[in-house]
Coordinates of all heavy atoms in Angstrom, one line a residue:
M1 N 10.0 -12.1 -65.5 CA 8.7 -12.9 -65.5 C 8.1 -12.7 -64.1 O 8.8 -12.8 -63.1 CB 9.0 -14.4 -65.7 CG 7.8 -15.2 -65.7 SD 8.2 -16.9 -66.1 CE 6.6 -17.5 -66.5
K2 N 6.8 -12.4 -64.1 CA 6.1 -12.2 -62.9 C 5.4 -13.5 -62.4 O 4.8 -14.2 -63.2 CB 5.1 -11.1 -63.1 CG 4.3 -10.6 -61.9 CD 5.2 -9.8 -61.0 CE 4.4 -9.3 -59.8 NZ 5.1 -9.1 -58.6
V3 N 5.6 -13.7 -61.1 CA 5.0 -14.9 -60.5 C 3.9 -14.5 -59.6 O 4.0 -13.5 -58.9 CB 6.1 -15.7 -59.7 CG1 5.4 -16.9 -59.0 CG2 7.2 -16.1 -60.6
D4 N 2.7 -15.2 -59.7 CA 1.6 -14.8 -58.9 C 1.4 -15.9 -57.8 O 2.1 -16.9 -57.8 CB 0.3 -14.6 -59.7 CG -0.1 -15.8 -60.5 OD1 0.6 -16.9 -60.4 OD2 -1.0 -15.8 -61.3
K5 N 0.4 -15.7 -56.9 CA 0.2 -16.6 -55.8 C -0.1 -18.0 -56.3 O 0.3 -19.0 -55.8 CB -1.0 -16.1 -54.9 CG -0.6 -15.5 -53.6 CD -1.8 -15.2 -52.8 CE -1.4 -14.6 -51.5 NZ -2.5 -14.3 -50.7
E6 N -0.9 -18.1 -57.4 CA -1.3 -19.4 -58.0 C -0.1 -20.2 -58.4 O 0.0 -21.3 -58.2 CB -2.3 -19.1 -59.1 CG -2.9 -20.4 -59.7 CD -3.8 -20.1 -60.8 OE1 -4.5 -19.1 -60.8 OE2 -3.9 -21.0 -61.7
A7 N 0.8 -19.5 -59.1 CA 2.0 -20.2 -59.6 C 2.9 -20.6 -58.5 O 3.4 -21.7 -58.5 CB 2.8 -19.2 -60.5
L8 N 3.0 -19.8 -57.4 CA 3.8 -20.1 -56.2 C 3.2 -21.4 -55.6 O 3.9 -22.3 -55.2 CB 3.8 -19.0 -55.2 CG 4.5 -19.3 -53.9 CD1 6.0 -19.6 -54.1 CD2 4.2 -18.2 -52.9
H9 N 1.9 -21.4 -55.4 CA 1.2 -22.6 -54.8 C 1.4 -23.8 -55.6 O 1.6 -24.9 -55.1 CB -0.3 -22.3 -54.5 CG -0.5 -21.3 -53.4 ND1 -0.5 -21.7 -52.1 CD2 -0.6 -20.0 -53.4 CE1 -0.7 -20.7 -51.3 NE2 -0.8 -19.6 -52.1
K10 N 1.3 -23.7 -57.0 CA 1.5 -24.8 -57.8 C 2.9 -25.4 -57.7 O 3.2 -26.6 -57.6 CB 1.2 -24.5 -59.3 CG 1.3 -25.6 -60.2 CD 0.9 -25.3 -61.6 CE 1.0 -26.5 -62.5 NZ 0.5 -26.2 -63.9
V11 N 3.9 -24.5 -57.7 CA 5.3 -25.0 -57.5 C 5.5 -25.6 -56.2 O 6.2 -26.6 -56.0 CB 6.3 -23.8 -57.8 CG1 7.7 -24.1 -57.4 CG2 6.3 -23.3 -59.2
A12 N 5.0 -24.9 -55.1 CA 5.1 -25.5 -53.8 C 4.5 -26.9 -53.7 O 5.0 -27.7 -53.0 CB 4.4 -24.5 -52.8
H13 N 3.3 -27.0 -54.3 CA 2.7 -28.4 -54.3 C 3.6 -29.4 -55.0 O 3.8 -30.5 -54.5 CB 1.3 -28.3 -55.0 CG 0.7 -29.6 -55.2 ND1 0.2 -30.3 -54.2 CD2 0.5 -30.4 -56.3 CE1 -0.3 -31.5 -54.6 NE2 -0.1 -31.5 -55.9
L14 N 4.1 -29.1 -56.2 CA 5.0 -30.0 -56.9 C 6.2 -30.3 -56.1 O 6.7 -31.4 -56.2 CB 5.3 -29.4 -58.3 CG 4.2 -29.3 -59.3 CD1 4.6 -28.5 -60.5 CD2 3.7 -30.7 -59.6
A15 N 6.7 -29.3 -55.4 CA 8.0 -29.6 -54.6 C 7.6 -30.1 -53.2 O 8.5 -30.3 -52.4 CB 8.7 -28.3 -54.4
R16 N 6.4 -30.3 -52.9 CA 5.9 -30.8 -51.6 C 6.4 -29.9 -50.5 O 6.9 -30.4 -49.5 CB 6.4 -32.3 -51.4 CG 6.1 -33.3 -52.4 CD 4.5 -33.5 -52.5 NE 4.2 -34.6 -53.4 CZ 3.7 -34.5 -54.6 NH1 3.6 -33.3 -55.2 NH2 3.4 -35.5 -55.3
L17 N 6.2 -28.6 -50.7 CA 6.5 -27.6 -49.7 C 5.3 -27.0 -49.0 O 4.3 -26.8 -49.7 CB 7.4 -26.5 -50.3 CG 8.7 -26.9 -50.9 CD1 9.3 -25.6 -51.6 CD2 9.7 -27.4 -49.9
N18 N 5.4 -26.8 -47.8 CA 4.3 -26.1 -47.1 C 4.7 -24.6 -46.9 O 5.7 -24.3 -46.3 CB 4.1 -26.6 -45.7 CG 3.5 -28.1 -45.7 OD1 2.7 -28.3 -46.6 ND2 3.9 -28.9 -44.8
V19 N 4.0 -23.7 -47.6 CA 4.3 -22.3 -47.6 C 3.3 -21.6 -46.7 O 2.1 -21.7 -46.8 CB 4.2 -21.7 -49.0 CG1 4.5 -20.2 -49.0 CG2 5.2 -22.4 -50.0
K20 N 3.9 -20.9 -45.7 CA 3.1 -20.1 -44.8 C 2.7 -18.8 -45.5 O 3.4 -18.3 -46.3 CB 3.9 -19.8 -43.5 CG 4.3 -21.0 -42.7 CD 5.1 -20.7 -41.6 CE 5.6 -21.9 -40.9 NZ 6.6 -21.7 -39.9
P21 N 1.5 -18.3 -45.2 CA 1.0 -17.1 -45.8 C 2.0 -15.9 -45.7 O 2.1 -15.1 -46.6 CB -0.3 -16.8 -45.2 CG -0.8 -18.1 -44.6 CD 0.5 -18.9 -44.3
E22 N 2.6 -15.8 -44.5 CA 3.6 -14.7 -44.3 C 4.9 -14.8 -45.2 O 5.6 -13.9 -45.4 CB 3.9 -14.5 -42.9 CG 4.6 -15.6 -42.2 CD 3.7 -16.7 -41.6 OE1 2.4 -16.6 -41.9 OE2 4.2 -17.5 -40.8
E23 N 5.1 -16.0 -45.7 CA 6.3 -16.3 -46.5 C 6.1 -16.0 -48.0 O 7.0 -15.9 -48.8 CB 6.8 -17.7 -46.3 CG 7.3 -18.1 -45.0 CD 7.6 -19.6 -44.8 OE1 6.9 -20.4 -45.5 OE2 8.4 -19.9 -44.0
E24 N 4.8 -15.9 -48.4 CA 4.4 -15.8 -49.8 C 5.0 -14.6 -50.5 O 5.6 -14.8 -51.6 CB 2.9 -15.9 -49.9 CG 2.3 -17.2 -49.7 CD 0.8 -17.2 -49.8 OE1 0.2 -16.1 -50.0 OE2 0.2 -18.3 -49.6
P25 N 4.9 -13.4 -50.0 CA 5.5 -12.3 -50.7 C 6.9 -12.4 -51.0 O 7.4 -12.1 -52.1 CB 5.2 -11.1 -49.8 CG 4.1 -11.5 -48.9 CD 4.2 -13.0 -48.7
K26 N 7.7 -12.8 -50.1 CA 9.2 -13.0 -50.3 C 9.5 -14.1 -51.3 O 10.4 -13.9 -52.1 CB 9.9 -13.3 -48.9 CG 11.3 -13.5 -49.0 CD 12.1 -12.2 -49.3 CE 13.6 -12.4 -49.2 NZ 14.3 -11.8 -50.3
L27 N 8.8 -15.2 -51.2 CA 9.0 -16.3 -52.1 C 8.6 -15.9 -53.5 O 9.3 -16.3 -54.5 CB 8.2 -17.6 -51.7 CG 8.8 -18.2 -50.4 CD1 7.8 -19.3 -50.0 CD2 10.1 -18.8 -50.7
I28 N 7.5 -15.2 -53.7 CA 7.1 -14.7 -55.0 C 8.1 -13.8 -55.6 O 8.5 -13.9 -56.8 CB 5.7 -14.0 -54.9 CG1 4.6 -15.0 -54.6 CG2 5.4 -13.2 -56.2 CD1 3.2 -14.4 -54.4
E29 N 8.7 -12.9 -54.8 CA 9.7 -12.0 -55.3 C 11.0 -12.7 -55.7 O 11.5 -12.5 -56.7 CB 10.1 -11.0 -54.1 CG 11.2 -10.0 -54.5 CD 11.6 -9.1 -53.3 OE1 10.9 -9.1 -52.3 OE2 12.6 -8.5 -53.4
D30 N 11.4 -13.7 -54.8 CA 12.6 -14.5 -55.1 C 12.4 -15.3 -56.4 O 13.3 -15.4 -57.2 CB 13.0 -15.4 -53.9 CG 13.5 -14.6 -52.7 OD1 13.8 -13.4 -52.9 OD2 13.6 -15.2 -51.6
L31 N 11.3 -15.9 -56.5 CA 11.0 -16.8 -57.7 C 11.0 -15.9 -58.9 O 11.5 -16.4 -60.0 CB 9.7 -17.6 -57.5 CG 9.4 -18.7 -58.4 CD1 10.6 -19.7 -58.5 CD2 8.2 -19.4 -58.0
S32 N 10.4 -14.8 -58.8 CA 10.4 -13.9 -60.0 C 11.7 -13.5 -60.4 O 12.1 -13.4 -61.6 CB 9.5 -12.6 -59.7 OG 8.2 -12.9 -59.5
K33 N 12.6 -13.2 -59.5 CA 14.0 -12.8 -59.8 C 14.8 -13.9 -60.5 O 15.5 -13.7 -61.4 CB 14.8 -12.4 -58.5 CG 14.4 -11.0 -58.0 CD 15.2 -10.7 -56.7 CE 14.7 -9.3 -56.2 NZ 15.5 -9.0 -54.9
I34 N 14.6 -15.1 -60.0 CA 15.2 -16.3 -60.5 C 14.8 -16.5 -62.0 O 15.6 -16.8 -62.9 CB 14.9 -17.6 -59.7 CG1 15.6 -17.5 -58.3 CG2 15.4 -18.9 -60.4 CD1 15.2 -18.5 -57.3
L35 N 13.5 -16.5 -62.2 CA 12.9 -16.7 -63.6 C 13.4 -15.6 -64.5 O 13.6 -15.8 -65.7 CB 11.4 -16.8 -63.5 CG 10.9 -18.1 -62.8 CD1 9.4 -18.1 -62.7 CD2 11.4 -19.3 -63.5
T36 N 13.5 -14.3 -64.0 CA 14.0 -13.2 -64.9 C 15.4 -13.5 -65.3 O 15.8 -13.3 -66.4 CB 13.9 -11.9 -64.1 OG1 12.5 -11.7 -63.8 CG2 14.4 -10.7 -64.9
W37 N 16.2 -14.0 -64.3 CA 17.6 -14.3 -64.6 C 17.7 -15.4 -65.7 O 18.5 -15.3 -66.6 CB 18.3 -14.7 -63.4 CG 19.7 -15.1 -63.5 CD1 20.8 -14.2 -63.7 CD2 20.3 -16.4 -63.6 NE1 22.0 -14.9 -63.9 CE2 21.7 -16.2 -63.8 CE3 19.8 -17.7 -63.4 CZ2 22.6 -17.3 -63.8 CZ3 20.6 -18.7 -63.5 CH2 22.0 -18.6 -63.7
V38 N 16.9 -16.4 -65.6 CA 16.8 -17.5 -66.5 C 16.4 -17.0 -67.9 O 17.0 -17.4 -68.9 CB 15.9 -18.7 -66.1 CG1 15.7 -19.7 -67.2 CG2 16.5 -19.3 -64.8
E39 N 15.5 -16.1 -67.9 CA 15.1 -15.5 -69.2 C 16.3 -14.7 -69.9 O 16.4 -14.8 -71.1 CB 13.9 -14.5 -69.0 CG 12.6 -15.2 -68.7 CD 12.1 -16.0 -69.9 OE1 12.2 -15.5 -71.0 OE2 11.5 -17.1 -69.6
Q40 N 17.1 -14.1 -69.0 CA 18.3 -13.4 -69.6 C 19.3 -14.4 -70.2 O 19.9 -14.1 -71.2 CB 19.0 -12.6 -68.5 CG 18.2 -11.4 -68.0 CD 18.9 -10.7 -66.9 OE1 19.9 -11.2 -66.3 NE2 18.4 -9.6 -66.4
L41 N 19.3 -15.6 -69.6 CA 20.3 -16.6 -70.2 C 19.8 -17.0 -71.6 O 20.7 -17.4 -72.4 CB 20.3 -17.8 -69.3 CG 21.0 -17.7 -68.0 CD1 20.9 -18.9 -67.1 CD2 22.5 -17.3 -68.2
K42 N 18.6 -16.9 -71.9 CA 18.1 -17.3 -73.3 C 18.6 -16.3 -74.3 O 18.7 -16.7 -75.5 CB 16.5 -17.3 -73.3 CG 15.9 -18.4 -72.6 CD 14.4 -18.3 -72.7 CE 13.7 -19.4 -72.0 NZ 12.3 -19.4 -72.1
E43 N 19.0 -15.1 -73.9 CA 19.5 -14.1 -74.9 C 21.0 -14.4 -75.2 O 21.5 -13.8 -76.2 CB 19.4 -12.7 -74.2 CG 18.0 -12.3 -74.0 CD 17.9 -11.0 -73.2 OE1 18.9 -10.3 -73.1 OE2 16.8 -10.7 -72.8
V44 N 21.7 -15.3 -74.5 CA 23.1 -15.5 -74.8 C 23.2 -16.4 -76.0 O 22.6 -17.4 -76.2 CB 23.8 -16.2 -73.6 CG1 25.2 -16.6 -73.8 CG2 23.7 -15.4 -72.3
D45 N 24.1 -16.0 -76.9 CA 24.4 -16.7 -78.2 C 25.3 -17.9 -77.9 O 26.4 -17.7 -77.5 CB 25.0 -15.8 -79.2 CG 25.3 -16.5 -80.5 OD1 24.6 -17.6 -80.8 OD2 26.1 -16.1 -81.3
T46 N 24.7 -19.1 -78.0 CA 25.5 -20.3 -77.7 C 25.8 -21.1 -79.0 O 26.1 -22.3 -78.9 CB 24.7 -21.2 -76.7 OG1 23.4 -21.5 -77.2 CG2 24.6 -20.5 -75.3
T47 N 25.7 -20.4 -80.1 CA 26.0 -21.1 -81.4 C 27.4 -21.6 -81.4 O 28.4 -20.9 -81.0 CB 25.8 -20.1 -82.5 OG1 24.5 -19.5 -82.4 CG2 26.0 -20.8 -83.9
G48 N 27.6 -22.9 -81.7 CA 28.9 -23.5 -81.8 C 29.5 -23.9 -80.4 O 30.6 -24.4 -80.3
V49 N 28.7 -23.8 -79.4 CA 29.2 -24.2 -78.0 C 28.5 -25.6 -77.7 O 27.3 -25.7 -77.7 CB 28.7 -23.2 -76.9 CG1 29.2 -23.7 -75.6 CG2 29.3 -21.8 -77.2
A50 N 29.4 -26.5 -77.5 CA 28.9 -27.9 -77.2 C 28.3 -27.9 -75.8 O 28.8 -27.3 -74.9 CB 30.1 -28.9 -77.3
P51 N 27.2 -28.6 -75.7 CA 26.6 -28.8 -74.3 C 27.6 -29.5 -73.4 O 28.3 -30.4 -73.8 CB 25.4 -29.6 -74.6 CG 25.2 -29.7 -76.0 CD 26.5 -29.3 -76.7
L52 N 27.5 -29.0 -72.1 CA 28.4 -29.7 -71.1 C 27.6 -30.8 -70.4 O 26.4 -30.7 -70.1 CB 28.7 -28.7 -70.0 CG 29.7 -27.6 -70.4 CD1 29.9 -26.6 -69.2 CD2 31.1 -28.2 -70.7
T53 N 28.3 -31.9 -70.2 CA 27.7 -33.0 -69.4 C 28.4 -32.9 -68.0 O 27.8 -33.4 -67.0 CB 28.0 -34.3 -70.0 OG1 29.4 -34.5 -70.2 CG2 27.2 -34.5 -71.3
H54 N 29.6 -32.4 -67.9 CA 30.3 -32.2 -66.6 C 30.9 -30.8 -66.6 O 31.3 -30.3 -67.7 CB 31.3 -33.3 -66.4 CG 30.8 -34.7 -66.4 ND1 29.9 -35.2 -65.4 CD2 30.9 -35.7 -67.3 CE1 29.6 -36.4 -65.7 NE2 30.2 -36.8 -66.9
M55 N 31.2 -30.3 -65.4 CA 31.8 -29.0 -65.3 C 33.3 -29.0 -65.6 O 33.9 -28.0 -65.9 CB 31.5 -28.4 -64.0 CG 30.1 -28.1 -63.7 SD 29.3 -27.0 -65.0 CE 30.2 -25.5 -64.8
T56 N 33.9 -30.2 -65.5 CA 35.4 -30.2 -65.7 C 35.6 -31.5 -66.6 O 34.8 -32.3 -66.8 CB 36.2 -30.4 -64.4 OG1 35.9 -31.7 -63.8 CG2 35.9 -29.3 -63.4
A57 N 36.8 -31.5 -67.1 CA 37.2 -32.7 -67.9 C 37.9 -33.7 -67.1 O 38.5 -34.7 -67.6 CB 38.1 -32.2 -69.0
E58 N 37.9 -33.6 -65.8 CA 38.6 -34.5 -64.9 C 37.9 -35.9 -65.0 O 36.7 -36.0 -65.1 CB 38.6 -34.0 -63.4 CG 39.3 -32.7 -63.2 CD 40.8 -32.8 -63.5 OE1 41.4 -33.8 -63.1 OE2 41.3 -31.9 -64.0
V59 N 38.7 -36.9 -64.9 CA 38.2 -38.3 -64.9 C 38.7 -39.0 -63.6 O 39.8 -38.8 -63.2 CB 38.8 -39.0 -66.1 CG1 38.3 -40.5 -66.1 CG2 38.4 -38.4 -67.4
N60 N 37.8 -39.7 -63.0 CA 38.2 -40.5 -61.8 C 39.3 -41.5 -62.1 O 39.2 -42.2 -63.1 CB 37.0 -41.2 -61.2 CG 36.1 -40.3 -60.5 OD1 36.4 -39.2 -60.1 ND2 34.8 -40.8 -60.4
V61 N 40.4 -41.4 -61.3 CA 41.4 -42.4 -61.5 C 41.4 -43.3 -60.2 O 41.7 -42.9 -59.1 CB 42.8 -41.7 -61.5 CG1 43.9 -42.7 -61.7 CG2 42.9 -40.7 -62.6
L62 N 40.9 -44.5 -60.5 CA 40.7 -45.5 -59.4 C 41.7 -46.6 -59.5 O 42.1 -47.0 -60.6 CB 39.3 -46.0 -59.5 CG 38.2 -45.0 -59.4 CD1 36.8 -45.7 -59.7 CD2 38.2 -44.2 -58.1
R63 N 42.1 -47.0 -58.3 CA 43.1 -48.2 -58.4 C 42.2 -49.5 -58.4 O 41.1 -49.5 -58.1 CB 43.9 -48.2 -57.1 CG 43.1 -48.4 -55.8 CD 44.0 -48.5 -54.6 NE 43.2 -48.5 -53.4 CZ 42.6 -49.6 -52.9 NH1 42.6 -50.7 -53.5 NH2 42.0 -49.5 -51.7
K64 N 42.9 -50.5 -58.8 CA 42.2 -51.8 -58.9 C 41.9 -52.3 -57.5 O 42.7 -52.1 -56.6 CB 43.1 -52.8 -59.6 CG 43.3 -52.5 -61.1 CD 43.5 -53.7 -61.9 CE 43.7 -53.4 -63.3 NZ 42.6 -53.5 -64.2
D65 N 40.8 -52.9 -57.3 CA 40.4 -53.4 -56.0 C 41.1 -54.8 -55.8 O 40.5 -55.8 -56.2 CB 38.9 -53.5 -55.9 CG 38.4 -53.8 -54.5 OD1 39.3 -53.7 -53.6 OD2 37.2 -54.1 -54.3
V66 N 42.3 -54.8 -55.3 CA 43.0 -56.0 -55.1 C 43.2 -56.3 -53.6 O 43.7 -55.4 -52.9 CB 44.4 -55.9 -55.8 CG1 45.2 -57.2 -55.6 CG2 44.2 -55.7 -57.3
A67 N 42.9 -57.5 -53.1 CA 43.1 -57.8 -51.8 C 44.6 -57.9 -51.5 O 45.3 -58.7 -52.2 CB 42.4 -59.1 -51.4
E68 N 45.1 -57.2 -50.5 CA 46.5 -57.3 -50.1 C 46.6 -57.4 -48.6 O 45.7 -57.0 -47.9 CB 47.2 -56.0 -50.5 CG 47.2 -55.6 -52.0 CD 47.8 -54.2 -52.2 OE1 48.1 -53.5 -51.2 OE2 48.0 -53.9 -53.4
K69 N 47.7 -58.0 -48.2 CA 47.9 -58.1 -46.7 C 48.8 -56.8 -46.4 O 49.9 -56.8 -46.7 CB 48.7 -59.3 -46.4 CG 48.8 -59.5 -44.9 CD 49.3 -60.9 -44.6 CE 49.3 -61.1 -43.1 NZ 49.6 -62.5 -42.7
T70 N 48.1 -55.8 -45.8 CA 48.8 -54.6 -45.5 C 49.3 -54.4 -44.1 O 50.1 -53.6 -43.8 CB 47.9 -53.4 -45.9 OG1 46.7 -53.5 -45.1 CG2 47.6 -53.4 -47.3
I71 N 48.7 -55.2 -43.2 CA 49.1 -55.2 -41.8 C 49.0 -56.6 -41.2 O 48.1 -57.4 -41.6 CB 48.1 -54.2 -41.0 CG1 48.6 -54.0 -39.5 CG2 46.7 -54.7 -41.0 CD1 47.9 -52.9 -38.8
S72 N 49.9 -56.9 -40.4 CA 50.0 -58.3 -39.8 C 48.9 -58.4 -38.8 O 48.4 -57.4 -38.2 CB 51.3 -58.6 -39.2 OG 51.5 -57.8 -38.0
H73 N 48.5 -59.6 -38.5 CA 47.5 -60.0 -37.5 C 47.9 -59.4 -36.1 O 47.1 -58.8 -35.4 CB 47.3 -61.5 -37.5 CG 46.1 -61.9 -36.8 ND1 44.8 -61.9 -37.4 CD2 45.9 -62.4 -35.5 CE1 43.9 -62.3 -36.5 NE2 44.6 -62.7 -35.4
E74 N 49.1 -59.6 -35.8 CA 49.7 -59.2 -34.5 C 49.6 -57.7 -34.4 O 49.3 -57.1 -33.3 CB 51.1 -59.7 -34.3 CG 51.2 -61.2 -34.2 CD 51.1 -61.9 -35.5 OE1 51.5 -61.3 -36.5 OE2 50.7 -63.1 -35.5
A75 N 50.0 -57.0 -35.5 CA 50.1 -55.5 -35.4 C 48.7 -54.9 -35.3 O 48.5 -53.9 -34.6 CB 50.7 -55.0 -36.7
A76 N 47.7 -55.6 -35.9 CA 46.3 -55.1 -35.8 C 45.8 -55.2 -34.4 O 45.0 -54.4 -33.9 CB 45.4 -55.9 -36.8
L77 N 46.1 -56.3 -33.7 CA 45.6 -56.5 -32.3 C 46.5 -55.9 -31.3 O 46.1 -55.8 -30.1 CB 45.6 -58.0 -32.1 CG 44.5 -58.8 -32.9 CD1 44.7 -60.3 -32.7 CD2 43.1 -58.3 -32.4
K78 N 47.7 -55.3 -31.7 CA 48.6 -54.8 -30.7 C 48.1 -53.8 -29.7 O 48.3 -53.9 -28.5 CB 49.8 -54.2 -31.5 CG 50.9 -53.7 -30.6 CD 52.1 -53.3 -31.5 CE 52.4 -51.8 -31.2 NZ 53.5 -51.4 -32.0
N79 N 47.3 -52.8 -30.1 CA 46.8 -51.8 -29.3 C 45.4 -51.9 -28.9 O 44.8 -51.0 -28.3 CB 47.1 -50.4 -29.9 CG 48.5 -50.1 -30.0 OD1 49.3 -50.3 -29.1 ND2 48.9 -49.4 -31.1
A80 N 44.8 -53.1 -29.1 CA 43.4 -53.3 -28.7 C 43.3 -53.3 -27.2 O 44.0 -54.0 -26.5 CB 42.9 -54.6 -29.3
P81 N 42.2 -52.6 -26.7 CA 42.1 -52.6 -25.3 C 41.7 -54.0 -24.7 O 42.0 -54.3 -23.6 CB 40.9 -51.6 -25.1 CG 40.3 -51.4 -26.4 CD 41.3 -51.8 -27.4
S82 N 41.0 -54.8 -25.5 CA 40.6 -56.1 -25.1 C 40.7 -57.1 -26.3 O 40.1 -56.8 -27.3 CB 39.2 -56.1 -24.5 OG 38.8 -57.4 -24.0
K83 N 41.4 -58.2 -26.1 CA 41.5 -59.1 -27.2 C 41.8 -60.5 -26.7 O 42.1 -60.7 -25.5 CB 42.7 -58.7 -28.1 CG 44.0 -58.7 -27.3 CD 45.1 -58.1 -28.1 CE 46.4 -58.1 -27.3 NZ 47.3 -57.2 -27.7
N84 N 41.6 -61.5 -27.5 CA 42.1 -62.9 -27.2 C 43.1 -63.2 -28.3 O 43.6 -62.3 -28.9 CB 40.9 -63.9 -27.1 CG 40.2 -64.1 -28.5 OD1 40.7 -63.7 -29.5 ND2 39.0 -64.7 -28.4
E85 N 43.4 -64.4 -28.5 CA 44.5 -64.8 -29.4 C 44.3 -64.2 -30.8 O 45.2 -63.8 -31.5 CB 44.7 -66.3 -29.5 CG 45.0 -67.0 -28.2 CD 43.7 -67.3 -27.4 OE1 42.6 -67.5 -28.0 OE2 43.7 -67.1 -26.2
D86 N 43.1 -64.3 -31.3 CA 42.8 -63.9 -32.8 C 41.9 -62.8 -33.0 O 41.8 -62.3 -34.1 CB 42.3 -65.2 -33.5 CG 43.3 -66.3 -33.6 OD1 44.5 -66.0 -33.8 OD2 42.9 -67.5 -33.5
F87 N 41.1 -62.3 -32.0 CA 40.0 -61.4 -32.3 C 40.0 -60.2 -31.3 O 40.5 -60.3 -30.1 CB 38.7 -62.1 -32.2 CG 38.6 -63.3 -33.1 CD1 38.7 -64.6 -32.7 CD2 38.3 -63.0 -34.5 CE1 38.6 -65.6 -33.6 CE2 38.2 -64.1 -35.4 CZ 38.3 -65.4 -34.9
F88 N 39.4 -59.1 -31.7 CA 39.1 -58.0 -30.8 C 37.9 -58.5 -29.9 O 37.0 -59.1 -30.4 CB 38.6 -56.8 -31.5 CG 39.7 -56.1 -32.4 CD1 39.7 -56.4 -33.8 CD2 40.6 -55.3 -31.8 CE1 40.7 -55.8 -34.6 CE2 41.6 -54.7 -32.6 CZ 41.6 -55.0 -34.0
K89 N 37.9 -58.1 -28.6 CA 36.8 -58.4 -27.7 C 36.1 -57.1 -27.5 O 36.7 -56.1 -27.2 CB 37.3 -59.0 -26.4 CG 37.9 -60.4 -26.6 CD 38.5 -60.9 -25.3 CE 37.5 -61.4 -24.3 NZ 38.1 -61.9 -23.1
V90 N 34.8 -57.2 -27.7 CA 33.9 -56.0 -27.5 C 32.8 -56.3 -26.5 O 32.4 -57.5 -26.4 CB 33.3 -55.5 -28.9 CG1 34.4 -55.0 -29.8 CG2 32.5 -56.5 -29.5
P91 N 32.2 -55.3 -25.9 CA 31.1 -55.6 -25.0 C 29.9 -56.0 -25.8 O 29.7 -55.7 -26.9 CB 30.8 -54.2 -24.3 CG 31.9 -53.3 -24.7 CD 32.6 -53.9 -25.9
K92 N 29.0 -56.7 -25.1 CA 27.8 -57.2 -25.7 C 27.0 -56.0 -26.1 O 26.9 -55.0 -25.5 CB 26.9 -58.0 -24.7 CG 27.3 -59.4 -24.5 CD 26.3 -60.1 -23.6 CE 26.7 -61.5 -23.4 NZ 25.7 -62.2 -22.5
V93 N 26.3 -56.1 -27.3 CA 25.5 -55.0 -27.8 C 24.0 -55.4 -27.6 O 23.1 -54.5 -27.5 CB 25.7 -54.7 -29.2 CG1 25.8 -53.2 -29.5 CG2 26.9 -55.3 -29.8
L94 N 23.7 -56.6 -27.6 CA 22.3 -57.1 -27.4 C 22.2 -57.8 -26.1 O 23.1 -58.5 -25.7 CB 21.9 -58.0 -28.5 CG 22.0 -57.5 -30.0 CD1 21.8 -58.6 -31.0 CD2 21.0 -56.4 -30.1
K95 N 21.1 -57.6 -25.4 CA 20.8 -58.4 -24.2 C 19.4 -58.9 -24.2 O 18.5 -58.3 -24.9 CB 21.1 -57.5 -23.0 CG 20.2 -56.3 -22.8 CD 20.6 -55.6 -21.6 CE 19.7 -54.4 -21.5 NZ 20.0 -53.6 -20.3
R96 N 19.2 -60.0 -23.5 CA 17.9 -60.6 -23.5 C 17.1 -60.0 -22.4 O 17.6 -59.7 -21.3 CB 18.0 -62.1 -23.2 CG 18.6 -62.8 -24.4 CD 18.8 -64.3 -24.1 NE 17.6 -64.9 -23.6 CZ 17.5 -66.2 -23.5 NH1 18.4 -67.0 -23.9 NH2 16.4 -66.7 -22.9
N97 N 15.8 -59.8 -22.7 CA 14.9 -59.3 -21.7 C 13.9 -60.4 -21.3 O 12.9 -60.5 -21.9 CB 14.1 -58.1 -22.2 CG 15.0 -56.9 -22.3 OD1 15.9 -56.7 -21.6 ND2 14.6 -56.0 -23.3
D98 N 14.3 -61.2 -20.4 CA 13.4 -62.4 -20.0 C 12.7 -62.0 -18.7 O 13.0 -61.4 -17.9 CB 14.3 -63.6 -19.7 CG 14.9 -64.2 -21.0 OD1 14.3 -64.0 -22.1 OD2 15.9 -64.8 -20.9

C-alpha cells in the first residue's frame, strides 16, 4: 500500500505528532512498509483458529492479602540511624518561611 503526504499528515494529526518536513520521506516509506506487511497478513488462512486474547495461557497466581506480623518492632528499629522508643526519626521535610 502506498502512503502519500496527505495520509501521513492525517495519521500524524490523529497521533498528535509534529512531523518535520525533512522526516516526511522516511516516515512515508516506513508507513508504506508496515501497511504492506499488514496486507500480507490478510492472505493467511486463519480458518479454525480461535482468536487470541492473551499471548500465553499463564494465569496470575496471587496470594491472599493477609496481614501478618513478619518482623518484630525491635528488629525493624534495630539498624535505624535515628529513632526513639517506637518510631524512626527523620529530618524535617517542610519548613516555614516567615
Side-chain angles (χ1 to χ4, degrees):
M1 179 176 197
K2 186 71 176 152
V3 178
D4 57 5
K5 257 187 180 180
E6 183 181 330
L8 175 67
H9 288 276
K10 184 175 182 178
V11 170
H13 172 72
L14 292 172
R16 306 296 190 256
L17 298 174
N18 293 323
V19 177
K20 297 176 185 168
E22 62 271 13
E23 296 172 331
E24 288 176 357
K26 178 70 173 138
L27 289 172
I28 289 172
E29 178 186 348
D30 290 347
L31 192 54
S32 293
K33 286 180 182 178
I34 292 168
L35 293 176
T36 301
W37 181 75
V38 171
E39 288 293 322
Q40 288 176 356
L41 288 177
K42 288 183 181 179
E43 297 172 10
V44 177
D45 181 20
T46 57
T47 307
V49 178
L52 289 176
T53 56
H54 300 293
M55 294 305 297
T56 66
E58 298 295 321
V59 178
N60 287 339
V61 180
L62 304 174
R63 65 174 172 78
K64 295 212 182 260
D65 191 13
V66 178
E68 302 175 349
K69 188 169 185 174
T70 57
I71 187 170
S72 71
H73 195 79
E74 294 78 26
L77 291 170
K78 182 173 122 180
N79 293 322
S82 181
K83 62 187 176 202
N84 65 14
E85 303 80 37
D86 293 322
F87 303 102
F88 294 101
K89 290 173 78 176
V90 295
K92 280 186 180 179
V93 223
L94 302 173
K95 61 181 180 180
R96 290 176 50 165
N97 290 330
D98 291 333

